[in-house]
Amino acid sequence: MARPIQDTPIIKGEDAKRFYANLRRALIDKQSPEKAKERLKHQEEMEDMYNKMVKATNGVFF
């Protein structure tokens, strides 16, 4: 026989603040196209540096 499903707990305090901030960041604070391009450029630079590090260490830094 299946057990009854419990009610979803209500979050309070710091957990609620953190949840709201994450939700707002995910849904409301969308990046402008300029910021997105800047973030993508930074990510590509970091990947390039990582690949150079892996190559320089013969895969030890993998």
Side-chain angles (χ1 to χ4, degrees):
M1 185 159 98
R3 295 187 297 179
I5 299 173
Q6 296 179 352
D7 291 337
T8 302
I10 298 173
I11 56 174
K12 298 178 182 175
E14 290 300 317
D15 289 334
K17 290 177 186 177
R18 192 170 40 254
F19 176 80
Y20 179 78
N22 288 338
L23 185 63
R24 179 181 173 146
R25 191 170 32 253
L27 299 177
I28 299 172
D29 296 338
K30 298 294 181 184
Q31 288 185 343
S32 66
E34 295 83 21
K35 287 278 189 184
K37 286 181 184 178
E38 183 179 322
R39 183 183 55 79
L40 184 60
K41 181 182 175 189
H42 183 262
Q43 181 179 349
E44 289 171 352
E45 289 173 355
M46 296 298 287
E47 287 177 1
D48 185 49
M49 284 190 277
Y50 175 78
N51 290 331
K52 287 179 182 176
M53 180 77 74
V54 170
K55 187 177 180 180
T57 61
N58 292 324
V60 174
F61 196 78
F62 181 61

